[in-house]
Amino acid sequence: MPKSKIIVDVVNGSVSLEQSLRRLEVLAHDVGNKELELWAECELGGYGEQNVPEYRVARNCLSFTYSGINGYALKVENVPLSITLLSKETLDAIKDIPYSQGIAFMTKMAEGGSMTYLDRSVLAAEVAKTSKGALQCYSIRQGVPASFYVRVVSEVTTRLIKALTMLEEQYGILDDLGIVIESGRRASENNSSINSVVLNYSGGAPDKEEKLGSKVAWNVLTPIVSAVLGAVLSALAVKYFGL
């Protein structure tokens, strides 16, 4: 049973997750655990250039809606869009969405309890081409379920509690927000054991979400560049080797 009020507060939800992470940030600094301090800092302020942990990546988000003209005449608003109207390359580029925002944003989304949407209107031209003009979209949205945000908040809470309980086991009651380090070697060993449990990311998303246009454009340009390069090499072979 934890003795530190800071742990009880997190478990009972009597203080915000944001405030508890700030407390952990101070404690991690006190024991010289830079990795744990950075994790708390990123969860608070957002990941920026840092790798987004695996638990912050919304996987296989393949729910789309659109507004526009259906069948050349019928105007529709926010109706489902079939993923068959998008190429595999496009879907692969956008189905996994990393979220780098701070925990306050993630908590707000989780408490909202509703599907959230990303604007994917840039895909309107592809939809029009695939449907041979039958669908003219002026708005396309990609849905992210509220359950994703709930899972993120739950995961952060679990890791936070684990970090605090391990700190309590190693240093005693944490409520004074100040820890006296007896031995540099011992502190280093303690930090390593905490980090191996709390920061055991199973993987990471890219540092920053690459813009959709860049991904799709690269998928289109790659075969073109390859073909051009092949033609140039063939011409050189004929010129110099008579092949």
Side-chain angles (χ1 to χ4, degrees):
M1 183 71 180
K3 299 178 181 178
S4 301
K5 185 176 183 299
I6 182 176
I7 301 176
V8 176
D9 286 343
V10 178
V11 173
N12 293 338
S14 54
V15 298
S16 69
L17 186 53
E18 190 174 8
Q19 183 179 346
S20 297
L21 282 166
R22 293 196 185 282
R23 291 178 176 180
L24 178 64
E25 185 179 14
V26 173
L27 292 170
H29 178 80
D30 285 346
V31 300
N33 192 331
K34 294 182 179 179
E35 290 81 3
L36 186 61
E37 182 181 1
L38 178 60
W39 176 75
E41 181 182 324
C42 289
E43 285 297 335
L44 284 165
Y47 278 81
E49 298 298 322
Q50 298 294 327
N51 283 338
V52 176
E54 173 65 23
Y55 62 82
R56 277 175 159 269
V57 181
R59 297 288 182 188
N60 295 312
C61 296
L62 297 175
S63 174
F64 298 89
T65 62
Y66 77 98
S67 297
I69 306 299
N70 184 347
Y72 304 101
L74 180 63
K75 184 177 180 180
V76 295
E77 295 285 341
N78 296 324
V79 296
L81 177 69
S82 173
I83 61 174
T84 60
L85 294 169
L86 299 172
S87 68
K88 181 180 183 301
E89 290 76 15
T90 296
L91 292 174
D92 287 344
I94 65 175
K95 67 180 181 180
D96 298 330
I97 308 168
Y99 277 80
S100 61
Q101 294 90 336
I103 197 64
F105 172 85
M106 304 303 285
T107 301
K108 182 179 179 181
M109 295 298 101
E111 292 174 348
S114 301
M115 178 90 74
T116 58
Y117 296 91
L118 299 178
D119 183 17
R120 298 302 193 191
S121 300
V122 67
L123 301 173
E126 180 177 342
V127 171
K129 180 179 179 180
T130 306
S131 67
K132 298 181 179 180
L135 289 185
Q136 299 294 328
C137 306
Y138 55 76
S139 172
I140 297 176
R141 303 189 303 168
Q142 180 180 14
V144 179
S147 59
F148 163 71
Y149 303 103
V150 173
R151 286 196 302 271
V152 171
V153 171
S154 176
E155 181 68 25
V156 173
T157 301
T158 299
R159 294 184 184 221
L160 171 61
I161 292 173
K162 190 61 179 178
L164 292 172
T165 53
M166 292 183 73
L167 283 169
E168 184 185 73
E169 290 173 359
Q170 295 162 356
Y171 298 102
I173 297 177
L174 308 173
D175 294 328
D176 291 336
L177 288 179
I179 297 175
V180 178
I181 302 175
E182 298 178 357
S183 164
R185 179 178 179 181
R186 180 184 176 187
S188 178
E189 292 173 350
N190 289 341
N191 291 344
S192 295
S193 66
I194 292 174
N195 293 344
S196 66
V197 173
V198 178
L199 307 182
N200 61 336
Y201 301 152
S202 60
D207 290 348
K208 291 185 289 187
E209 184 181 3
E210 189 179 349
K211 291 184 178 179
L212 171 64
S214 299
K215 290 184 176 181
V216 175
W218 181 250
N219 288 329
V220 173
L221 287 174
T222 297
I224 296 175
V225 171
S226 298
V228 172
L229 182 59
V232 171
L233 291 175
S234 297
L236 289 174
V238 171
K239 178 176 180 181
Y240 290 103
F241 301 105
L243 299 178

